[in-house]
């Protein structure tokens, strides 16, 4: 099982104003949303809660449930249903009934060429049937905060009751990209299925359907990290896409795309527009660096040598904000412990720094850079050490001496006791 829990390597705080794109920003698709991935802050939205058909972006949820319920080296067997339930005009990976593949291989087939048969195999392997797996999908969607999503299958094959929204799909995409296995797969440009028990060729070679990843595509976008495309006649061209630049990552969803009058893809044009908007207008700004000196104070009751103490900011405090934001206008509230006095340990917490912005607070502990010794501490320590030394010397003086025992030896009589054996006629 892949561990998707965030790793607390460093305590970073990000926030952004609830700012939306200016009215001059043009997008083609009827429904869209743009968010900063680490915080979920919405940078742009357009009919983001309008119910739509998600097509193969559905497979993001299938991938999530797969990595959370299976080991990558588990083996699944392709069923009759997985092969023959896929409509002829839908994408498949040419899987064979009875074929055995690892979960990892099926995930690559699911997310790179968008194989609908692979989705069925995974659903049946996890839940026993498509219907039971759909229940699992809807439960997970609800856990992620999705309000307008209802899945009936694991692949997005059109069904009037299989629906979602740009906002809900953004939540799924954001969650999925926290998993390193999914992140690796969705950024892979090409994948080849190996030979199996039912297929002895290596000609099942698949290219990623996401043209933003392809340097050969007119829609290539540098920094793209994923995620998943989708298309049906009813849904139009859809995508959940992500890109990373300037130390931050954004994720977008566009649904219902068509072609422009010049034959260009509205889906990819909107992606490039929204990505450019994010990276041109937002940035990561540092308010305080980890272990930076905030101020110096004089600690009461401390020795002269240690009374002047530097106060450090324990953690990085960073903001994701509009590039035009002047961070000098953000004044923090600094609270130093009023009862603070010596002694103080190195890195001991002495207070807190708090930034208030848009109704929220962003804080870090304040810590001592060095040890602070109480002014009466050294004399007391010396007295204690002196007493210990005196007691030890007294112990040595009063300790009773041990007399050496004389060794006695029993003198053997002359000649001793000997045993002789007589040998005769030796030749």
């Amino acid at each position: 099982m892949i561990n998707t829990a965030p790793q607390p390597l460093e305590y970073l705080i990000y926030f952004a104003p609830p700012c939306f794109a200016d009215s001059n920003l043009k997008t083609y698709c009827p429904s869209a949303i743009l968010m900063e991935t680490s915080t979920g802050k919405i940078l742009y939205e357009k009919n983001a809660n309008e119910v739509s058909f998600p097509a193969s972006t559905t497979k993001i949820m299938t991938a999530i449930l797969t990595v959370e319920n299976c080991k990558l080296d588990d083996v699944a067997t392709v069923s009759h249903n997985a092969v023959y339930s896929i409509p002829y005009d839908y994408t498949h990976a040419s899987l064979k009934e009875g074929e055995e593949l690892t979960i990892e291989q099926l995930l690559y087939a699911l997310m790179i060429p968008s194989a609908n048969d692979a989705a069925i195999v995974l659903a049946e392997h996890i839940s026993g049937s498509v219907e039971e797996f759909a229940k699992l999908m809807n439960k997970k969607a609800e856990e992620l905060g999705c309000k307008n999503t209802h899945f009936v299958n694991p692949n997005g094959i059109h069904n009037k009751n299989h629906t979602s929204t740009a906002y809900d799909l953004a939540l799924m995409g954001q969650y999925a990209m926290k998993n390193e296995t999914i992140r690796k797969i969705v950024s892979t440009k090409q994948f080849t299925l190996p030979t199996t028990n039912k297929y002895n060729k290596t000609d099942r070679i698949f290219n990623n359907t996401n043209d933003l990843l392809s340097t050969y595509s007119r829609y290539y976008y540098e920094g793209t990290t994923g995620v998943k495309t989708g298309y049906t006649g009813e849904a139009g061209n859809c995508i959940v896409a992500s890109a990373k630049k300037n130390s931050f990552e954004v994720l977008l969803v566009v649904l219902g795309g068509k072609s422009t009058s010049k034959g260009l893809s509205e889906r990819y044009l909107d992606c490039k527009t929204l990505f450019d908007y994010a990276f041109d207008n937002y940035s990561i700004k540092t308010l305080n660096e980890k272990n930076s000196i905030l101020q110096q104070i004089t600690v009461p009751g401390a020795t002269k040598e240690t009374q002047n103490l530097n106060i450090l900011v324990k953690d990085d405090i960073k903001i994701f904000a509009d590039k035009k934001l002047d961070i000098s206008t953000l004044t923090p509230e600094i609270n130093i412990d009023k009862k603070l006095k010596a002694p103080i340990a190195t890195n001991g917490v002495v207070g807190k720094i708090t930034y208030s912005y848009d109704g929220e607070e962003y804080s870090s502990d304040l810590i001592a850079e060095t040890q602070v010794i109480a002014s009466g501490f050294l004399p007391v320590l010396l007295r204690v050490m002196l007493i210990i030394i005196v007691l030890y010397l007294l112990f040595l003086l009063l300790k009773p001496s041990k007399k050496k025992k004389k060794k006695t030896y029993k003198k053997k009589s002359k000649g001793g006791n000997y045993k002789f054996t007589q040998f005769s006629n030796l030749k």
Side-chain angles (χ1 to χ4, degrees):
M1 181 120 7
I2 303 303
N3 181 11
T4 60
Q7 302 300 312
L9 299 177
E10 197 172 27
Y11 185 61
L12 302 181
I13 304 173
Y14 300 95
F15 68 92
C19 179
F20 301 100
D22 61 63
S23 58
N24 294 323
L25 186 62
K26 178 183 177 182
T27 55
Y28 292 98
C29 298
S31 181
I33 193 169
L34 173 68
M35 71 160 56
E36 197 277 323
T37 306
S38 68
T39 62
K41 290 293 183 180
I42 307 303
L43 309 181
Y44 172 82
E45 63 175 356
K46 175 182 177 183
N47 301 322
N49 291 300
E50 184 174 298
V51 175
S52 305
F53 299 124
S56 284
T57 59
T58 298
K59 295 183 176 81
I60 294 172
M61 177 59 77
T62 301
I64 290 171
L65 292 174
T66 298
V67 297
E68 291 185 348
N69 288 278
C70 304
K71 294 180 180 179
L72 293 181
D73 58 358
D74 285 349
V75 176
T77 303
V78 179
S79 69
H80 178 87
N81 181 58
V83 175
Y84 296 101
S85 66
I86 308 301
Y88 75 92
D89 54 345
Y90 278 79
T91 304
H92 57 82
S94 300
L95 303 183
K96 306 302 178 184
E97 184 176 353
E99 186 171 11
E100 296 176 350
L101 299 120
T102 67
I103 297 303
E104 185 175 32
Q105 291 164 355
L106 288 165
L107 277 170
Y108 274 95
L110 176 80
M111 300 302 282
I112 294 179
S114 196
N116 292 288
D117 46 358
I120 300 295
V121 177
L122 291 168
E124 293 178 340
H125 178 78
I126 294 168
S127 299
S129 70
V130 166
E131 292 74 22
E132 289 301 312
F133 187 75
K135 294 178 183 178
L136 198 62
M137 297 173 76
N138 290 322
K139 180 182 178 181
K140 188 66 178 183
E142 186 177 352
E143 290 175 1
L144 295 181
C146 301
K147 302 296 185 184
N148 299 289
T149 293
H150 183 260
F151 292 129
V152 299
N153 61 57
N155 45 28
I157 288 178
H158 180 69
N159 184 300
K160 66 179 182 179
N161 296 316
H162 188 93
T163 55
S164 190
T165 66
Y167 177 75
D168 285 0
L169 288 167
L171 293 179
M172 297 178 218
Q174 178 192 30
Y175 182 82
M177 291 298 278
K178 294 177 182 178
N179 184 282
E180 289 303 317
T181 295
I182 294 177
R183 178 177 283 274
K184 177 183 177 183
I185 291 172
V186 299
S187 64
T188 301
K189 297 178 181 180
Q190 188 179 84
F191 174 72
T192 301
L193 275 175
T195 59
T196 67
N197 62 316
K198 294 289 183 178
Y199 201 88
N200 60 5
K201 299 178 182 179
T202 55
D203 57 357
R204 290 181 292 184
I205 303 170
F206 306 113
N207 293 316
N208 200 311
T209 59
N210 186 356
D211 284 353
L212 295 169
L213 286 166
S214 175
T215 54
Y216 299 103
S217 170
R218 69 186 303 165
Y219 303 115
Y220 170 71
Y221 194 87
E222 185 178 0
T224 297
T225 54
V227 178
K228 186 71 190 74
T229 61
Y231 171 80
T232 65
E234 296 81 3
N237 289 303
C238 311
I239 193 170
V240 178
S242 58
K244 186 174 184 179
K245 284 183 182 181
N246 306 331
S247 300
F248 70 93
E249 185 176 56
V250 292
L251 181 140
L252 61 83
V253 182
V254 293
L255 302 174
K258 299 178 181 178
S259 295
T260 67
S261 58
K262 296 181 179 180
L264 300 177
S265 168
E266 293 180 344
R267 169 174 66 184
Y268 290 124
L269 292 177
D270 281 356
C271 285
K272 298 183 80 169
T273 296
L274 292 173
F275 282 151
D276 283 345
Y277 170 77
F279 297 124
D280 288 346
N281 291 279
Y282 292 88
S283 66
I284 298 292
K285 297 176 181 286
T286 301
L287 300 181
N288 295 99
E289 292 183 352
K290 180 178 180 179
N291 292 329
S292 60
I293 298 175
L294 182 69
Q295 63 182 69
Q296 187 180 86
I297 62 171
T298 301
V299 181
T303 63
K304 183 178 180 181
E305 294 78 12
T306 64
Q307 66 181 355
N308 295 322
L309 175 67
N310 287 333
I311 303 296
L312 309 182
V313 179
K314 181 181 180 182
D315 306 301
D316 285 330
I317 302 179
K318 297 185 177 184
I319 62 171
F320 173 78
D322 192 304
K323 284 185 176 180
K324 297 177 182 178
L325 175 67
D326 181 3
I327 60 174
S328 66
T329 62
L330 303 177
T331 304
E333 179 182 351
I334 300 171
N335 291 310
I336 306 295
D337 187 356
K338 294 180 180 179
K339 298 180 181 179
L340 191 66
K341 62 180 181 178
I344 301 172
T346 302
N347 295 326
V349 176
V350 297
K352 179 173 285 189
I353 180 171
T354 303
Y355 289 86
S356 296
Y357 184 82
D358 192 33
E360 297 185 59
E361 293 185 346
Y362 307 88
S363 304
S364 172
D365 285 335
L366 299 175
I367 58 175
E369 182 182 35
T370 54
Q371 181 183 24
V372 178
I373 301 173
S375 59
F377 178 73
L378 286 176
V380 170
L381 180 62
L382 290 173
R383 285 197 293 270
V384 170
M385 291 178 66
L386 181 61
I387 291 171
I388 292 172
I389 292 170
V390 171
L391 289 174
Y392 180 71
L393 292 174
L394 287 172
F395 171 77
L396 293 177
L397 290 172
L398 298 176
K399 183 179 179 182
S401 60
K402 294 182 180 179
K403 294 181 178 180
K404 293 184 179 180
K405 293 182 179 180
K406 293 182 178 180
K407 293 184 180 181
T408 59
Y409 300 93
K410 186 176 180 180
K411 187 176 182 181
K412 295 181 181 180
S413 59
K414 189 175 180 179
N417 296 319
Y418 297 95
K419 185 177 181 180
F420 293 90
T421 301
Q422 185 173 353
F423 296 91
S424 60
N425 300 321
L426 295 177
K427 293 183 179 180

